[in-house]
Amino acid sequence: DTAVSQTPKYLVTQMGNDKSIKCEQNLGHDTMYWYKQDSKKFLKIMFSYNNKELIINETVPNRFSPKSPDKAHLNLHINSLELGDSAVYFCASRKRESNTGELFFGEGSRLTVL
Amino acid sequence: AQSVSQHNHHVILSEAASLELGCNYSYGGTVNLFWYVQYPGQHLQLLLKYFSGDPLVKGIKGFEAEFIKSKFSFNLRKPSVQWSDTAEYFCAVNAGNRDDKIIFGKGTRLHILP
């Protein structure tokens, strides 16, 4: 059983297209995140949801829109894809209440924009 | 806002050498600190974490880290590295006052020569 699962793992698409990445966790966590890892391996936080409520919204173009239908799912939709969006997108989750909980990461979704 | 800096971007060692990777953070309050490892082509996994108590923390695979509050540091150590330790290592911090944002350093690429 994969604790944090993302689909698709690989995504190759043309500039200007719209695409979505889905994430699900079966750990019973209440807080989920999206991170972007660029070609230099730098991990940058994008969004976080707690119990379907947006709690972190970093400086991200509004072409990126997260959606959390329930606390076990956090999807990322990207409109009008650009070359600079090429990266690995990691979903992660944690239990918020203790505030000492670590992040559990998914395996990543590698997005390539041509 | 908190930030994390990792001084070594790329470290090359021979097997059995001792390892120390530097991590400094900037935040004046209580912090939770983490080290994650990312093996080639894989997702991030937790090596160890500190949130209170003994400042010397032991993690998996023989790794340990020491929290030195006066130096705002959380350096990662291993007395004798193995070829299988080749990976990217990330230090991360979040403020201990129920801050949901977990910020990562830029990572250190560790290459172990057989």
mmCIF file of all heavy atoms in Angstrom, chain A residues 31 33 35 37 40-43 45 55-56 58 90 94 96-97 99-103 105-107, chain B residues 32 34 36 38 42-44 46 49 51 88 90 94-102 104 106 109:
data_model
loop_
_atom_site.group_PDB
_atom_site.id
_atom_site.type_symbol
_atom_site.label_atom_id
_atom_site.label_comp_id
_atom_site.label_asym_id
_atom_site.label_seq_id
_atom_site.Cartn_x
_atom_site.Cartn_y
_atom_site.Cartn_z
ATOM 1 N N THR A 31 -3.340 17.343 6.675
ATOM 2 C CA THR A 31 -2.719 18.452 5.961
ATOM 3 C C THR A 31 -1.919 17.911 4.789
ATOM 4 O O THR A 31 -1.139 16.972 4.940
ATOM 5 C CB THR A 31 -1.795 19.249 6.910
ATOM 6 O OG1 THR A 31 -2.546 19.627 8.068
ATOM 7 C CG2 THR A 31 -1.277 20.506 6.238
ATOM 8 N N TYR A 33 0.261 18.938 0.966
ATOM 9 C CA TYR A 33 1.104 19.970 0.367
ATOM 10 C C TYR A 33 1.431 19.632 -1.082
ATOM 11 O O TYR A 33 1.467 18.468 -1.459
ATOM 12 C CB TYR A 33 2.455 20.051 1.101
ATOM 13 C CG TYR A 33 2.406 20.423 2.551
ATOM 14 C CD1 TYR A 33 1.972 19.516 3.510
ATOM 15 C CD2 TYR A 33 2.825 21.679 2.978
ATOM 16 C CE1 TYR A 33 1.950 19.850 4.857
ATOM 17 C CE2 TYR A 33 2.812 22.029 4.327
ATOM 18 C CZ TYR A 33 2.377 21.106 5.252
ATOM 19 O OH TYR A 33 2.361 21.448 6.593
ATOM 20 N N TYR A 35 4.799 20.578 -3.474
ATOM 21 C CA TYR A 35 6.128 21.166 -3.616
ATOM 22 C C TYR A 35 6.559 21.016 -5.069
ATOM 23 O O TYR A 35 6.227 20.032 -5.721
ATOM 24 C CB TYR A 35 7.151 20.442 -2.738
ATOM 25 C CG TYR A 35 7.141 20.820 -1.286
ATOM 26 C CD1 TYR A 35 6.241 20.222 -0.402
ATOM 27 C CD2 TYR A 35 8.039 21.751 -0.779
ATOM 28 C CE1 TYR A 35 6.235 20.557 0.949
ATOM 29 C CE2 TYR A 35 8.044 22.100 0.565
ATOM 30 C CZ TYR A 35 7.143 21.495 1.420
ATOM 31 O OH TYR A 35 7.139 21.836 2.761
ATOM 32 N N GLN A 37 9.995 20.723 -7.395
ATOM 33 C CA GLN A 37 11.443 20.515 -7.395
ATOM 34 C C GLN A 37 11.973 20.800 -8.788
ATOM 35 O O GLN A 37 11.644 20.098 -9.742
ATOM 36 C CB GLN A 37 11.809 19.097 -6.956
ATOM 37 C CG GLN A 37 13.314 18.912 -6.793
ATOM 38 C CD GLN A 37 13.690 17.552 -6.241
ATOM 39 O OE1 GLN A 37 13.208 16.522 -6.708
ATOM 40 N NE2 GLN A 37 14.548 17.537 -5.228
ATOM 41 N N LYS A 40 17.551 21.885 -10.516
ATOM 42 C CA LYS A 40 18.683 21.952 -9.584
ATOM 43 C C LYS A 40 18.344 21.308 -8.251
ATOM 44 O O LYS A 40 19.073 21.458 -7.272
ATOM 45 C CB LYS A 40 19.102 23.413 -9.368
ATOM 46 C CG LYS A 40 19.672 24.054 -10.621
ATOM 47 C CD LYS A 40 20.150 25.459 -10.359
ATOM 48 C CE LYS A 40 20.720 26.064 -11.637
ATOM 49 N NZ LYS A 40 21.122 27.455 -11.468
ATOM 50 N N LYS A 41 17.230 20.610 -8.210
ATOM 51 C CA LYS A 41 16.782 19.873 -7.017
ATOM 52 C C LYS A 41 16.244 20.763 -5.902
ATOM 53 O O LYS A 41 16.020 20.290 -4.798
ATOM 54 C CB LYS A 41 17.906 18.979 -6.437
ATOM 55 C CG LYS A 41 18.419 17.945 -7.409
ATOM 56 C CD LYS A 41 17.413 16.854 -7.649
ATOM 57 C CE LYS A 41 17.996 15.722 -8.450
ATOM 58 N NZ LYS A 41 17.011 14.661 -8.721
ATOM 59 N N PHE A 42 16.065 22.050 -6.184
ATOM 60 C CA PHE A 42 15.551 22.950 -5.163
ATOM 61 C C PHE A 42 14.072 22.687 -4.949
ATOM 62 O O PHE A 42 13.295 22.698 -5.896
ATOM 63 C CB PHE A 42 15.798 24.390 -5.583
ATOM 64 C CG PHE A 42 15.323 25.406 -4.593
ATOM 65 C CD1 PHE A 42 15.562 25.244 -3.232
ATOM 66 C CD2 PHE A 42 14.632 26.531 -5.016
ATOM 67 C CE1 PHE A 42 15.123 26.180 -2.321
ATOM 68 C CE2 PHE A 42 14.187 27.470 -4.101
ATOM 69 C CZ PHE A 42 14.428 27.293 -2.757
ATOM 70 N N LEU A 43 13.693 22.466 -3.688
ATOM 71 C CA LEU A 43 12.298 22.157 -3.335
ATOM 72 C C LEU A 43 11.604 23.422 -2.844
ATOM 73 O O LEU A 43 11.988 23.987 -1.821
ATOM 74 C CB LEU A 43 12.266 21.150 -2.191
ATOM 75 C CG LEU A 43 12.143 19.699 -2.526
ATOM 76 C CD1 LEU A 43 12.391 18.884 -1.290
ATOM 77 C CD2 LEU A 43 10.764 19.372 -3.086
ATOM 78 N N ILE A 45 7.968 25.181 -1.673
ATOM 79 C CA ILE A 45 6.584 24.942 -1.275
ATOM 80 C C ILE A 45 5.658 25.782 -2.149
ATOM 81 O O ILE A 45 5.958 26.928 -2.483
ATOM 82 C CB ILE A 45 6.387 25.246 0.221
ATOM 83 C CG1 ILE A 45 5.016 24.767 0.686
ATOM 84 C CG2 ILE A 45 6.609 26.714 0.533
ATOM 85 C CD1 ILE A 45 4.855 24.783 2.193
ATOM 86 N N ILE A 55 -4.353 26.790 3.387
ATOM 87 C CA ILE A 55 -3.660 27.458 4.490
ATOM 88 C C ILE A 55 -2.326 28.059 4.064
ATOM 89 O O ILE A 55 -1.802 28.939 4.741
ATOM 90 C CB ILE A 55 -3.456 26.513 5.694
ATOM 91 C CG1 ILE A 55 -2.721 25.229 5.265
ATOM 92 C CG2 ILE A 55 -4.774 26.194 6.356
ATOM 93 C CD1 ILE A 55 -2.311 24.352 6.443
ATOM 94 N N ILE A 56 -1.756 27.557 2.997
ATOM 95 C CA ILE A 56 -0.527 28.137 2.474
ATOM 96 C C ILE A 56 -0.705 28.338 0.979
ATOM 97 O O ILE A 56 -1.108 27.430 0.269
ATOM 98 C CB ILE A 56 0.705 27.244 2.733
ATOM 99 C CG1 ILE A 56 0.979 27.121 4.223
ATOM 100 C CG2 ILE A 56 1.934 27.800 2.002
ATOM 101 C CD1 ILE A 56 2.085 26.130 4.556
ATOM 102 N N GLU A 58 1.806 30.124 -1.622
ATOM 103 C CA GLU A 58 3.022 30.865 -1.881
ATOM 104 C C GLU A 58 2.896 31.650 -3.192
ATOM 105 O O GLU A 58 1.890 31.566 -3.887
ATOM 106 C CB GLU A 58 4.212 29.912 -1.934
ATOM 107 C CG GLU A 58 4.572 29.345 -0.580
ATOM 108 C CD GLU A 58 5.074 30.394 0.388
ATOM 109 O OE1 GLU A 58 6.224 30.855 0.248
ATOM 110 O OE2 GLU A 58 4.313 30.772 1.300
ATOM 111 N N PHE A 90 5.985 17.280 -6.170
ATOM 112 C CA PHE A 90 5.816 16.312 -5.085
ATOM 113 C C PHE A 90 4.627 16.701 -4.220
ATOM 114 O O PHE A 90 4.505 17.847 -3.781
ATOM 115 C CB PHE A 90 7.064 16.266 -4.196
ATOM 116 C CG PHE A 90 8.213 15.511 -4.787
ATOM 117 C CD1 PHE A 90 9.251 16.189 -5.411
ATOM 118 C CD2 PHE A 90 8.259 14.126 -4.720
ATOM 119 C CE1 PHE A 90 10.323 15.496 -5.968
ATOM 120 C CE2 PHE A 90 9.327 13.422 -5.269
ATOM 121 C CZ PHE A 90 10.357 14.108 -5.888
ATOM 122 N N ARG A 94 1.015 15.468 6.194
ATOM 123 C CA ARG A 94 1.460 15.345 7.576
ATOM 124 C C ARG A 94 0.253 15.485 8.494
ATOM 125 O O ARG A 94 -0.814 15.941 8.074
ATOM 126 C CB ARG A 94 2.509 16.404 7.910
ATOM 127 C CG ARG A 94 1.965 17.813 8.082
ATOM 128 C CD ARG A 94 3.069 18.826 8.144
ATOM 129 N NE ARG A 94 3.774 18.838 9.393
ATOM 130 C CZ ARG A 94 3.819 19.886 10.215
ATOM 131 N NH1 ARG A 94 3.144 20.985 9.934
ATOM 132 N NH2 ARG A 94 4.519 19.837 11.329
ATOM 133 N N ARG A 96 -1.207 17.546 11.407
ATOM 134 C CA ARG A 96 -0.956 18.911 11.848
ATOM 135 C C ARG A 96 -0.981 19.078 13.354
ATOM 136 O O ARG A 96 -0.248 19.877 13.895
ATOM 137 C CB ARG A 96 -2.026 19.825 11.242
ATOM 138 C CG ARG A 96 -1.762 21.304 11.405
ATOM 139 C CD ARG A 96 -2.986 22.081 11.027
ATOM 140 N NE ARG A 96 -2.679 23.467 10.718
ATOM 141 C CZ ARG A 96 -3.581 24.426 10.753
ATOM 142 N NH1 ARG A 96 -4.832 24.157 11.043
ATOM 143 N NH2 ARG A 96 -3.247 25.678 10.458
ATOM 144 N N GLU A 97 -1.801 18.313 14.042
ATOM 145 C CA GLU A 97 -2.134 18.659 15.430
ATOM 146 C C GLU A 97 -0.918 18.708 16.347
ATOM 147 O O GLU A 97 -0.795 19.556 17.200
ATOM 148 C CB GLU A 97 -3.176 17.702 15.992
ATOM 149 C CG GLU A 97 -2.738 16.253 15.980
ATOM 150 C CD GLU A 97 -3.824 15.302 16.450
ATOM 151 O OE1 GLU A 97 -4.999 15.645 16.341
ATOM 152 O OE2 GLU A 97 -3.481 14.219 16.934
ATOM 153 N N ASN A 99 2.150 19.253 15.401
ATOM 154 C CA ASN A 99 3.099 20.212 14.826
ATOM 155 C C ASN A 99 4.536 19.730 14.842
ATOM 156 O O ASN A 99 5.445 20.462 14.516
ATOM 157 C CB ASN A 99 3.020 21.576 15.519
ATOM 158 C CG ASN A 99 3.563 22.667 14.630
ATOM 159 O OD1 ASN A 99 3.293 22.689 13.447
ATOM 160 N ND2 ASN A 99 4.374 23.545 15.173
ATOM 161 N N THR A 100 4.763 18.509 15.256
ATOM 162 C CA THR A 100 6.120 17.970 15.157
ATOM 163 C C THR A 100 6.182 16.901 14.086
ATOM 164 O O THR A 100 7.215 16.284 13.886
ATOM 165 C CB THR A 100 6.558 17.364 16.499
ATOM 166 O OG1 THR A 100 5.636 16.319 16.852
ATOM 167 C CG2 THR A 100 6.576 18.411 17.590
ATOM 168 N N GLY A 101 5.057 16.691 13.437
ATOM 169 C CA GLY A 101 5.004 15.630 12.446
ATOM 170 C C GLY A 101 5.783 15.971 11.196
ATOM 171 O O GLY A 101 5.771 17.102 10.726
ATOM 172 N N GLU A 102 6.444 14.949 10.689
ATOM 173 C CA GLU A 102 7.209 15.160 9.475
ATOM 174 C C GLU A 102 6.318 14.994 8.259
ATOM 175 O O GLU A 102 5.207 14.460 8.336
ATOM 176 C CB GLU A 102 8.370 14.162 9.398
ATOM 177 C CG GLU A 102 7.955 12.713 9.198
ATOM 178 C CD GLU A 102 7.775 11.983 10.518
ATOM 179 O OE1 GLU A 102 7.471 12.636 11.544
ATOM 180 O OE2 GLU A 102 7.922 10.741 10.516
ATOM 181 N N LEU A 103 6.832 15.420 7.126
ATOM 182 C CA LEU A 103 6.133 15.244 5.866
ATOM 183 C C LEU A 103 6.382 13.840 5.319
ATOM 184 O O LEU A 103 7.500 13.330 5.398
ATOM 185 C CB LEU A 103 6.650 16.254 4.838
ATOM 186 C CG LEU A 103 6.268 17.714 5.060
ATOM 187 C CD1 LEU A 103 7.086 18.605 4.137
ATOM 188 C CD2 LEU A 103 4.795 17.928 4.816
ATOM 189 N N PHE A 105 6.203 12.019 1.706
ATOM 190 C CA PHE A 105 6.150 12.435 0.310
ATOM 191 C C PHE A 105 5.655 11.328 -0.613
ATOM 192 O O PHE A 105 5.893 10.134 -0.375
ATOM 193 C CB PHE A 105 7.551 12.842 -0.159
ATOM 194 C CG PHE A 105 7.965 14.206 0.301
ATOM 195 C CD1 PHE A 105 8.565 14.374 1.539
ATOM 196 C CD2 PHE A 105 7.748 15.313 -0.500
ATOM 197 C CE1 PHE A 105 8.946 15.632 1.969
ATOM 198 C CE2 PHE A 105 8.125 16.581 -0.075
ATOM 199 C CZ PHE A 105 8.727 16.735 1.163
ATOM 200 N N GLY A 106 4.997 11.766 -1.685
ATOM 201 C CA GLY A 106 4.705 10.876 -2.782
ATOM 202 C C GLY A 106 5.933 10.700 -3.645
ATOM 203 O O GLY A 106 6.981 11.304 -3.385
ATOM 204 N N GLU A 107 5.804 9.886 -4.692
ATOM 205 C CA GLU A 107 6.961 9.558 -5.529
ATOM 206 C C GLU A 107 7.243 10.614 -6.584
ATOM 207 O O GLU A 107 8.215 10.498 -7.325
ATOM 208 C CB GLU A 107 6.759 8.189 -6.161
ATOM 209 C CG GLU A 107 6.744 7.079 -5.109
ATOM 210 C CD GLU A 107 6.759 5.698 -5.713
ATOM 211 O OE1 GLU A 107 6.574 5.564 -6.927
ATOM 212 O OE2 GLU A 107 6.950 4.733 -4.952
ATOM 213 N N ASN B 32 11.261 23.103 14.676
ATOM 214 C CA ASN B 32 11.364 21.672 14.424
ATOM 215 C C ASN B 32 12.300 21.517 13.232
ATOM 216 O O ASN B 32 12.188 22.269 12.253
ATOM 217 C CB ASN B 32 10.005 21.069 14.082
ATOM 218 C CG ASN B 32 9.001 21.273 15.198
ATOM 219 O OD1 ASN B 32 9.309 21.091 16.368
ATOM 220 N ND2 ASN B 32 7.786 21.655 14.829
ATOM 221 N N PHE B 34 14.517 18.894 10.470
ATOM 222 C CA PHE B 34 14.444 17.604 9.789
ATOM 223 C C PHE B 34 15.614 17.461 8.824
ATOM 224 O O PHE B 34 16.118 18.441 8.282
ATOM 225 C CB PHE B 34 13.154 17.510 8.955
ATOM 226 C CG PHE B 34 11.887 17.853 9.692
ATOM 227 C CD1 PHE B 34 11.476 19.175 9.792
ATOM 228 C CD2 PHE B 34 11.118 16.861 10.256
ATOM 229 C CE1 PHE B 34 10.302 19.507 10.467
ATOM 230 C CE2 PHE B 34 9.941 17.178 10.934
ATOM 231 C CZ PHE B 34 9.535 18.505 11.034
ATOM 232 N N TYR B 36 16.109 15.071 5.374
ATOM 233 C CA TYR B 36 15.521 14.118 4.444
ATOM 234 C C TYR B 36 16.593 13.654 3.461
ATOM 235 O O TYR B 36 17.544 14.388 3.164
ATOM 236 C CB TYR B 36 14.394 14.776 3.633
ATOM 237 C CG TYR B 36 13.094 14.931 4.378
ATOM 238 C CD1 TYR B 36 12.881 16.013 5.222
ATOM 239 C CD2 TYR B 36 12.072 14.004 4.226
ATOM 240 C CE1 TYR B 36 11.689 16.160 5.898
ATOM 241 C CE2 TYR B 36 10.871 14.143 4.897
ATOM 242 C CZ TYR B 36 10.691 15.227 5.732
ATOM 243 O OH TYR B 36 9.496 15.364 6.409
ATOM 244 N N GLN B 38 17.049 11.892 -0.499
ATOM 245 C CA GLN B 38 16.412 11.552 -1.772
ATOM 246 C C GLN B 38 17.398 10.733 -2.598
ATOM 247 O O GLN B 38 18.379 11.261 -3.124
ATOM 248 C CB GLN B 38 15.993 12.809 -2.529
ATOM 249 C CG GLN B 38 15.189 12.519 -3.791
ATOM 250 C CD GLN B 38 14.749 13.791 -4.510
ATOM 251 O OE1 GLN B 38 15.382 14.840 -4.402
ATOM 252 N NE2 GLN B 38 13.644 13.710 -5.243
ATOM 253 N N GLN B 42 14.129 8.769 -6.719
ATOM 254 C CA GLN B 42 13.113 8.415 -5.719
ATOM 255 C C GLN B 42 12.568 9.660 -5.011
ATOM 256 O O GLN B 42 13.008 10.779 -5.245
ATOM 257 C CB GLN B 42 13.708 7.462 -4.686
ATOM 258 C CG GLN B 42 14.084 6.111 -5.279
ATOM 259 C CD GLN B 42 14.460 5.111 -4.198
ATOM 260 O OE1 GLN B 42 13.983 5.198 -3.056
ATOM 261 N NE2 GLN B 42 15.290 4.154 -4.556
ATOM 262 N N HIS B 43 11.593 9.429 -4.136
ATOM 263 C CA HIS B 43 11.008 10.528 -3.382
ATOM 264 C C HIS B 43 11.808 10.775 -2.097
ATOM 265 O O HIS B 43 12.726 10.014 -1.783
ATOM 266 C CB HIS B 43 9.550 10.207 -3.051
ATOM 267 C CG HIS B 43 9.384 9.015 -2.154
ATOM 268 N ND1 HIS B 43 9.631 7.729 -2.571
ATOM 269 C CD2 HIS B 43 8.997 8.913 -0.867
ATOM 270 C CE1 HIS B 43 9.396 6.893 -1.586
ATOM 271 N NE2 HIS B 43 9.016 7.584 -0.530
ATOM 272 N N LEU B 44 11.473 11.823 -1.402
ATOM 273 C CA LEU B 44 12.173 12.155 -0.171
ATOM 274 C C LEU B 44 11.707 11.261 0.974
ATOM 275 O O LEU B 44 10.521 10.985 1.123
ATOM 276 C CB LEU B 44 11.928 13.612 0.212
ATOM 277 C CG LEU B 44 12.738 14.634 -0.556
ATOM 278 C CD1 LEU B 44 12.067 14.973 -1.871
ATOM 279 C CD2 LEU B 44 12.932 15.892 0.276
ATOM 280 N N LEU B 46 12.374 10.570 5.292
ATOM 281 C CA LEU B 46 12.901 11.165 6.509
ATOM 282 C C LEU B 46 14.081 10.357 7.052
ATOM 283 O O LEU B 46 13.996 9.138 7.194
ATOM 284 C CB LEU B 46 11.808 11.228 7.564
ATOM 285 C CG LEU B 46 12.196 11.907 8.871
ATOM 286 C CD1 LEU B 46 12.309 13.419 8.669
ATOM 287 C CD2 LEU B 46 11.189 11.590 9.963
ATOM 288 N N LYS B 49 14.622 13.617 12.819
ATOM 289 C CA LYS B 49 14.004 14.905 13.126
ATOM 290 C C LYS B 49 14.275 15.283 14.577
ATOM 291 O O LYS B 49 14.518 14.418 15.434
ATOM 292 C CB LYS B 49 12.501 14.863 12.878
ATOM 293 C CG LYS B 49 11.731 13.964 13.833
ATOM 294 C CD LYS B 49 10.228 14.046 13.561
ATOM 295 C CE LYS B 49 9.460 13.188 14.554
ATOM 296 N NZ LYS B 49 7.997 13.259 14.328
ATOM 297 N N PHE B 51 12.594 17.867 17.618
ATOM 298 C CA PHE B 51 11.608 18.874 18.014
ATOM 299 C C PHE B 51 11.760 19.282 19.475
ATOM 300 O O PHE B 51 11.343 20.369 19.860
ATOM 301 C CB PHE B 51 10.175 18.407 17.733
ATOM 302 C CG PHE B 51 9.815 17.075 18.308
ATOM 303 C CD1 PHE B 51 9.241 16.962 19.549
ATOM 304 C CD2 PHE B 51 10.050 15.908 17.577
ATOM 305 C CE1 PHE B 51 8.902 15.724 20.072
ATOM 306 C CE2 PHE B 51 9.717 14.670 18.100
ATOM 307 C CZ PHE B 51 9.141 14.582 19.356
ATOM 308 N N GLU B 88 20.831 12.801 -2.536
ATOM 309 C CA GLU B 88 20.690 14.235 -2.254
ATOM 310 C C GLU B 88 20.141 14.339 -0.830
ATOM 311 O O GLU B 88 19.208 13.609 -0.465
ATOM 312 C CB GLU B 88 19.685 14.834 -3.250
ATOM 313 C CG GLU B 88 19.665 16.329 -3.311
ATOM 314 C CD GLU B 88 20.616 16.907 -4.350
ATOM 315 O OE1 GLU B 88 21.025 16.191 -5.271
ATOM 316 O OE2 GLU B 88 20.936 18.106 -4.221
ATOM 317 N N PHE B 90 18.575 16.840 2.218
ATOM 318 C CA PHE B 90 17.890 18.106 2.430
ATOM 319 C C PHE B 90 17.651 18.348 3.913
ATOM 320 O O PHE B 90 17.134 17.478 4.622
ATOM 321 C CB PHE B 90 16.527 18.109 1.727
ATOM 322 C CG PHE B 90 16.598 18.046 0.235
ATOM 323 C CD1 PHE B 90 16.588 16.825 -0.429
ATOM 324 C CD2 PHE B 90 16.676 19.209 -0.519
ATOM 325 C CE1 PHE B 90 16.649 16.761 -1.809
ATOM 326 C CE2 PHE B 90 16.734 19.153 -1.900
ATOM 327 C CZ PHE B 90 16.727 17.926 -2.540
ATOM 328 N N ASN B 94 10.662 23.937 10.367
ATOM 329 C CA ASN B 94 9.430 24.668 10.486
ATOM 330 C C ASN B 94 9.327 25.254 11.886
ATOM 331 O O ASN B 94 9.876 24.705 12.849
ATOM 332 C CB ASN B 94 8.203 23.840 10.073
ATOM 333 C CG ASN B 94 7.507 23.138 11.196
ATOM 334 O OD1 ASN B 94 8.095 22.321 11.896
ATOM 335 N ND2 ASN B 94 6.234 23.444 11.357
ATOM 336 N N ALA B 95 8.686 26.402 11.965
ATOM 337 C CA ALA B 95 8.561 27.097 13.236
ATOM 338 C C ALA B 95 7.686 26.275 14.158
ATOM 339 O O ALA B 95 6.683 25.706 13.743
ATOM 340 C CB ALA B 95 7.955 28.482 13.025
ATOM 341 N N GLY B 96 8.082 26.191 15.437
ATOM 342 C CA GLY B 96 7.387 25.312 16.357
ATOM 343 C C GLY B 96 6.110 25.869 16.929
ATOM 344 O O GLY B 96 5.559 25.295 17.849
ATOM 345 N N ASN B 97 5.616 26.967 16.381
ATOM 346 C CA ASN B 97 4.400 27.557 16.940
ATOM 347 C C ASN B 97 3.200 27.280 16.037
ATOM 348 O O ASN B 97 2.435 28.161 15.695
ATOM 349 C CB ASN B 97 4.576 29.064 17.109
ATOM 350 C CG ASN B 97 4.917 29.747 15.790
ATOM 351 O OD1 ASN B 97 5.181 29.090 14.791
ATOM 352 N ND2 ASN B 97 4.892 31.050 15.790
ATOM 353 N N ARG B 98 3.076 26.046 15.630
ATOM 354 C CA ARG B 98 1.969 25.612 14.778
ATOM 355 C C ARG B 98 2.048 26.252 13.391
ATOM 356 O O ARG B 98 1.047 26.498 12.755
ATOM 357 C CB ARG B 98 0.618 25.896 15.425
ATOM 358 C CG ARG B 98 0.376 25.118 16.701
ATOM 359 C CD ARG B 98 -1.057 25.278 17.172
ATOM 360 N NE ARG B 98 -2.020 24.834 16.177
ATOM 361 C CZ ARG B 98 -2.337 23.573 15.968
ATOM 362 N NH1 ARG B 98 -1.759 22.610 16.635
ATOM 363 N NH2 ARG B 98 -3.252 23.243 15.043
ATOM 364 N N ASP B 99 3.256 26.524 12.943
ATOM 365 C CA ASP B 99 3.432 26.987 11.578
ATOM 366 C C ASP B 99 3.406 25.770 10.660
ATOM 367 O O ASP B 99 4.116 24.803 10.892
ATOM 368 C CB ASP B 99 4.763 27.717 11.455
ATOM 369 C CG ASP B 99 4.959 28.332 10.091
ATOM 370 O OD1 ASP B 99 4.143 28.081 9.182
ATOM 371 O OD2 ASP B 99 5.944 29.065 9.930
ATOM 372 N N ASP B 100 2.586 25.827 9.645
ATOM 373 C CA ASP B 100 2.460 24.678 8.759
ATOM 374 C C ASP B 100 3.504 24.648 7.665
ATOM 375 O O ASP B 100 3.608 23.670 6.939
ATOM 376 C CB ASP B 100 1.068 24.694 8.103
ATOM 377 C CG ASP B 100 -0.024 24.552 9.134
ATOM 378 O OD1 ASP B 100 -0.148 23.445 9.689
ATOM 379 O OD2 ASP B 100 -0.727 25.545 9.387
ATOM 380 N N LYS B 101 4.283 25.721 7.539
ATOM 381 C CA LYS B 101 5.210 25.816 6.422
ATOM 382 C C LYS B 101 6.508 25.103 6.782
ATOM 383 O O LYS B 101 7.157 25.441 7.767
ATOM 384 C CB LYS B 101 5.489 27.288 6.114
ATOM 385 C CG LYS B 101 6.077 27.533 4.755
ATOM 386 C CD LYS B 101 6.303 29.008 4.512
ATOM 387 C CE LYS B 101 5.013 29.772 4.378
ATOM 388 N NZ LYS B 101 5.259 31.184 3.990
ATOM 389 N N ILE B 102 6.878 24.123 6.003
ATOM 390 C CA ILE B 102 8.154 23.425 6.171
ATOM 391 C C ILE B 102 9.045 23.835 5.009
ATOM 392 O O ILE B 102 8.741 23.545 3.855
ATOM 393 C CB ILE B 102 7.964 21.903 6.247
ATOM 394 C CG1 ILE B 102 7.081 21.555 7.449
ATOM 395 C CG2 ILE B 102 9.313 21.190 6.338
ATOM 396 C CD1 ILE B 102 6.828 20.093 7.656
ATOM 397 N N PHE B 104 12.651 23.983 2.974
ATOM 398 C CA PHE B 104 13.796 23.130 2.685
ATOM 399 C C PHE B 104 15.004 23.954 2.259
ATOM 400 O O PHE B 104 14.867 25.002 1.620
ATOM 401 C CB PHE B 104 13.455 22.144 1.577
ATOM 402 C CG PHE B 104 12.582 21.004 2.034
ATOM 403 C CD1 PHE B 104 11.210 21.184 2.205
ATOM 404 C CD2 PHE B 104 13.123 19.768 2.323
ATOM 405 C CE1 PHE B 104 10.405 20.147 2.648
ATOM 406 C CE2 PHE B 104 12.330 18.723 2.760
ATOM 407 C CZ PHE B 104 10.965 18.921 2.929
ATOM 408 N N LYS B 106 18.610 24.038 -0.035
ATOM 409 C CA LYS B 106 18.789 23.748 -1.456
ATOM 410 C C LYS B 106 19.388 22.365 -1.715
ATOM 411 O O LYS B 106 19.561 21.976 -2.867
ATOM 412 C CB LYS B 106 19.650 24.826 -2.109
ATOM 413 C CG LYS B 106 18.919 26.156 -2.171
ATOM 414 C CD LYS B 106 19.614 27.157 -3.068
ATOM 415 C CE LYS B 106 18.735 28.400 -3.190
ATOM 416 N NZ LYS B 106 19.312 29.406 -4.087
ATOM 417 N N ARG B 109 24.344 17.382 -2.639
ATOM 418 C CA ARG B 109 24.493 16.142 -3.391
ATOM 419 C C ARG B 109 25.724 15.414 -2.856
ATOM 420 O O ARG B 109 26.835 15.962 -2.878
ATOM 421 C CB ARG B 109 24.673 16.425 -4.873
ATOM 422 C CG ARG B 109 24.846 15.161 -5.714
ATOM 423 C CD ARG B 109 24.681 15.451 -7.170
ATOM 424 N NE ARG B 109 23.336 15.923 -7.457
ATOM 425 C CZ ARG B 109 22.915 16.281 -8.662
ATOM 426 N NH1 ARG B 109 23.740 16.248 -9.688
ATOM 427 N NH2 ARG B 109 21.689 16.684 -8.848
#
